[in-house]
Amino acid sequence: MTTTHSPALTLKKAFTFRSAFMFSFVFVSPIVALYGVFALVLGAAGPSGWWSFLIVFAGQIIVAFVFAELASRWPIEGSLYQWARRLVGNHYGWFTGWIYMWTLAIACAGGSFITSQFLPLVLGLQPFDLFTQILVALGTLAVIMVLNLIGPKAIKAVVFLAIIAEVVGSVALAITLFLFFQEQPFSVLLQGADVTMPGVTFAGIAAAAAFVGWGFVGFESAGDIAEEVEDPRRNVPKAIIAAILSVGTVVVVSALALIIAIPDLGRVLSGEEVDPAAYIVGSALGEQAVVLLFLLIIIGFVACMLATQMASSRVMWAFARDNAFPASKWIKRLSPRTSNPNSAIVVTAILTMLILVAATTGPVYATLVSFSTAGFFISFALPLVAHALTRHKSYWTPGPFSLGTAGKVVVPLAAIWVVLELINIAWPRTPELDWWQNYSVIIGLVAVLSLGLIVWIPRRSTIANLPIIDPGSRDNHASQTAESAAAGAASDS
């Protein structure tokens, strides 16, 4: 019997290649990727930490090409969840998607809290106390939820504003510092974190790379909205690759511009300057430029969180469409007017708010922030390792974008890189901290998987029987989603 695609579960094609690229661009965000970790990188490796930006950028380019191949093969809402499900099986894919969904929610909660710390600096106020920070962060999440509920038009408007902020805060600033405010020779890139001991250390670069890993994620998000993109088999892969190439280039160049513009290296490496980026910009362009920089950082973080919440809601909706999530019948509903997954957006926003309140009222906050970094690489590793192990088999049939014979090298290389970076992120390298901070990745993973088991156990039979089109067939995303919709409808009835 031939199944037809249920109109009630049809997402609107609201994104072109350009808008899908811009969506992924602001998710990764040069401002977030750079200023979110710049102080940590200098603290870990000094100016030589710049090499960690280059190393992680190179590794993530390889990952992006593999994800582009998977997105072209399976351009289905939910990206990593859908790819892992089809590479290995339903249960493997379900836990991949579960970890990914929680990672997105945790990252969004952490981003809102960081944003609330910058706001008083822009407004000329005293730093907020913890309670006020939480209220401001909750308000930010509520505004983001409303924008997502309005739909693609509001999202595109915010994304456009963020692109302007990125150009001013990253590109224009980097050019200005390069041309007029170079204070250090390029040889400073061989200086570690200790100004009295010249030279690059492997430990310092590795620690810096762990921090940089937090910034170079999100390029896969074009795959999360694949069914909302026109001609997704071609446009989504291009958006994924273009996002990491453009953001990575801007971040690497901007980081170099900031480092060679450091007026007093000793003050930065000694920790006397808590915010090195603000110190560098203020010394070069004055305090008003610092205020403008903080405003641009807020815009960058808000746009990044908007994209993060949107991606998280699409993963949740993909779960619900497969009846693999609590309250699936309600969550998978689409707005009759906009075809927007409003229920999934609301649930995702509430979940993120709960994470924020729980995490920022105790020592759990640092644990969740650490896990959000590792969570991306865990989610990346699961389909990458599976693809590396199965791609050489005869049943692999690529989409329009394919790595061809180069995939025999590129796919295993991407899997190895992500696993090594994951180990690097999780490594307990700071014995002076509490034990739970050193092992926060393991603690976070155990917590997420434990909660996942509670949700998975009563649904394991439904999940096991989800239809998967044979990996060797040239399926189109509409026919796959139609089968899932039909299975969901049968389960609801």
Side-chain angles (χ1 to χ4, degrees), residues 41-66:
V41 168
L42 287 184
S48 68
W50 179 81
W51 297 102
S52 66
F53 284 103
L54 201 60
I55 292 168
V56 177
F57 178 32
Q60 295 301 76
I61 289 174
I62 301 172
V63 174
F65 272 91
V66 179

Side-chain angles (χ1 to χ4, degrees), residues 130-222:
L130 179 60
F131 180 73
T132 305
Q133 277 185 305
I134 294 173
L135 287 180
V136 172
L138 288 173
T140 303
L141 290 174
V143 170
I144 290 169
M145 179 188 71
V146 171
L147 290 171
N148 266 314
L149 288 172
I150 293 172
K153 288 185 178 180
I155 293 167
K156 291 176 183 179
V158 174
V159 166
F160 181 74
L161 178 63
I163 294 291
I164 296 174
E166 300 284 3
V167 169
V168 176
S170 298
V171 180
L173 178 61
I175 293 173
T176 302
L177 294 178
F178 265 126
L179 292 179
F180 304 109
F181 298 101
Q182 181 176 348
E183 300 287 344
Q184 303 291 335
F186 286 99
S187 60
V188 77
L189 299 178
L190 300 178
Q191 171 64 53
D194 188 347
V195 73
T196 64
M197 297 178 61
V200 179
T201 65
F202 173 79
I205 294 295
F211 294 127
V212 174
W214 180 79
F216 283 142
V217 293
F219 51 88
E220 81 293 342
S221 58

Side-chain angles (χ1 to χ4, degrees), residues 4-50:
T4 57
H5 194 190
S6 169
L9 293 177
T10 302
L11 294 159
K12 184 178 291 185
K13 298 286 187 182
F15 294 92
T16 61
F17 158 70
R18 185 176 65 177
S19 54
F21 157 68
M22 292 171 64
F23 172 77
S24 291
F25 183 93
V26 299
F27 190 125
V28 189
S29 177
I31 284 179
V32 175
L34 177 59
Y35 297 110
V37 299
F38 187 68
L40 298 173
V41 168
L42 287 184
S48 68
W50 179 81

Side-chain angles (χ1 to χ4, degrees), residues 64-138:
F65 272 91
V66 179
F67 282 175
E69 180 176 67
L70 291 173
S72 183
R73 176 70 174 84
W74 295 301
I76 311 170
E77 211 84 351
S79 68
L80 302 176
Y81 159 59
Q82 303 287 9
W83 304 338
R85 190 161 84 83
R86 285 156 175 78
L87 286 167
V88 178
N90 289 335
H91 297 304
Y92 186 89
W94 191 92
F95 278 100
T96 299
W98 179 261
I99 295 170
Y100 182 48
M101 183 186 70
W102 277 92
T103 298
L104 291 168
I106 292 168
C108 191
S112 68
F113 189 73
I114 294 173
T115 303
S116 69
Q117 295 176 326
F118 282 105
L119 190 59
L121 300 173
V122 172
L123 299 177
L125 304 174
Q126 291 297 315
F128 294 146
D129 56 35
L130 179 60
F131 180 73
T132 305
Q133 277 185 305
I134 294 173
L135 287 180
V136 172
L138 288 173

Side-chain angles (χ1 to χ4, degrees), residues 27 35 55 135 147 196 199 204 206 235 255 278 304 309 317 378 381 386 389 402 441:
F27 190 125
Y35 297 110
I55 292 168
L135 287 180
L147 290 171
T196 64
N235 286 333
C304 176
Q309 189 185 86
W317 182 82
I378 294 171
L389 295 175
S402 174
V441 171

Side-chain angles (χ1 to χ4, degrees), residues 8 69 125 159 168 172 193 218 222 241-242 245 274 316 363 374 418 429 457-458 466:
E69 180 176 67
L125 304 174
V159 166
V168 176
I241 294 171
L245 287 177
V274 179
M316 183 181 291
V418 167
R429 56 170 49 89
I457 288 173
L466 290 176

Side-chain angles (χ1 to χ4, degrees), residues 62-74 80 83-89 92 96 379-399 401-404 406-416 471:
I62 301 172
V63 174
F65 272 91
V66 179
F67 282 175
E69 180 176 67
L70 291 173
S72 183
R73 176 70 174 84
W74 295 301
L80 302 176
W83 304 338
R85 190 161 84 83
R86 285 156 175 78
L87 286 167
V88 178
Y92 186 89
T96 299
S379 305
F380 287 4
L382 291 170
L384 283 173
V385 171
H387 194 32
L389 295 175
T390 61
R391 189 184 185 279
H392 66 282
K393 296 183 178 179
S394 59
Y395 61 65
W396 169 254
T397 304
F401 177 87
S402 174
L403 295 172
K408 294 179 180 180
V409 175
V410 175
V411 176
L413 193 60
I416 292 169

